Amino acid sequence: MGLQYDDSTPRAPAARPRGWLRAVVVGAMAILFVGAAVGFIAFLSQLRGVEIRPARNADGIVVLTGGSSRVSDAMELLAGGYGKRLLISGVHPTNALSDISRSLPDNQSLLLRCCVDLDRSAVNTRSNAAETRRWLRERGFKSLIVVTSNYHMPRAILELSHAMPDVTLIPFAVVGDRWRDEPWWTSGATLRLLLSEYAKYVAAEVRVRLADAGVDLAPELSDQPAPAPRRPATAQAN
């Protein structure tokens, strides 16, 4: 006589593959961490440690405000004949040429009155690029020297080249005193600045690549009303 099993007996639930899922999550996090670290090293490799004069002249010069000595360095390039005109992009709406001239030598102050234009609309790097494109088109310029801090240069070139793919861009990276005086990895403030800038660069890279593929996640910032200024600074930070 064969044995009969009672199907009504409750069966133990099948074990969930928690260990497998945990391994997948840990592995994915490890890959993301390694990828981010490699990307950060590649980002750092783009940053110049010394200031190098442009190898050639250009039609115009643009300086993206937000860091020390950027404007004075751009004025030196203009005085040296590296460009016909200079655009200072990102000037605070309450500031005038006279406010900028106070921090410049007398010979550069004279150039301010004849050969410098102010952009008060840009509030970040993307709108810097949009306003610079408008300025170039109005003047028919085809080449541009870009002046900004060395840590900001990769993102600036990314945004400008996306906005103006037909314009020749010549970078002039401004190296701050802190960068010269101490290695970046010994300063917590500098490290935080670089990590923040790297995150912004990655976000801009993703947005630009998606836009090139026809996926525009956000309208161009220059087409939106600019927010009211909150601080009486010389320029907006990038």
Side-chain angles (χ1 to χ4, degrees):
M1 184 175 180
L3 295 176
Q4 296 181 350
Y5 293 94
D6 185 0
D7 292 339
S8 63
T9 303
R11 297 181 181 181
R16 297 180 180 178
R18 293 181 179 178
W20 175 82
L21 181 60
R22 185 180 298 110
V24 170
V25 172
V26 171
M29 292 179 63
I31 292 173
L32 287 175
F33 178 80
V34 172
V38 171
F40 184 58
I41 293 172
F43 171 76
L44 291 174
S45 69
Q46 301 179 60
L47 309 188
R48 291 182 176 177
V50 295
E51 294 181 359
I52 302 175
R53 291 285 172 174
R56 50 162 290 190
N57 295 352
D59 293 332
I61 304 170
V62 64
V63 54
L64 311 184
T65 58
S68 61
S69 79
R70 294 184 191 180
V71 173
S72 60
D73 283 5
M75 291 297 299
E76 287 182 9
L77 293 175
L78 181 65
Y82 282 92
K84 302 171 186 175
R85 291 192 70 84
L86 167 66
L87 173 66
I88 304 178
S89 180
V91 176
H92 193 274
T94 62
N95 284 93
L97 282 174
S98 57
D99 299 309
I100 299 174
S101 65
R102 295 191 187 102
S103 61
L104 300 174
D106 292 339
N107 61 328
Q108 293 186 3
S109 297
L110 294 175
L111 281 174
L112 270 177
R113 298 184 181 92
C114 78
C115 309
V116 176
D117 301 305
L118 302 185
D119 156 42
R120 296 185 176 89
S121 300
V123 295
N124 55 30
T125 307
R126 188 180 181 188
S127 52
N128 282 141
E131 295 302 320
T132 302
R133 177 181 60 198
R134 181 178 297 112
W135 180 74
L136 283 177
R137 288 177 176 174
E138 289 174 353
R139 300 193 173 277
F141 291 167
K142 295 298 183 182
S143 57
L144 183 70
I145 294 175
V146 181
V147 181
T148 190
S149 297
N150 60 339
Y151 64 85
H152 183 235
M153 186 63 75
R155 185 159 58 100
I157 293 296
L158 174 68
E159 296 284 11
L160 288 164
S161 61
H162 177 65
M164 303 172 292
D166 57 337
V167 173
T168 301
L169 302 177
I170 306 167
F172 177 78
V174 177
V175 181
D177 293 336
R178 179 180 296 180
W179 191 278
R180 293 191 185 97
D181 294 341
E182 59 184 359
W184 61 266
W185 58 86
T186 63
S187 170
T190 304
L191 178 58
R192 287 192 295 272
L193 173 66
L194 290 174
L195 289 173
S196 174
E197 183 59 36
Y198 172 61
K200 294 176 183 178
Y201 173 77
V202 171
E205 180 78 28
V206 171
R207 177 179 51 77
V208 165
R209 288 184 180 274
L210 288 175
D212 289 341
V215 181
D216 193 359
L217 297 180
E220 191 168 274
L221 297 182
S222 63
D223 296 334
Q224 301 177 353
R230 294 184 178 180
R231 58 186 177 85
T234 300
Q236 306 291 338
N238 290 304

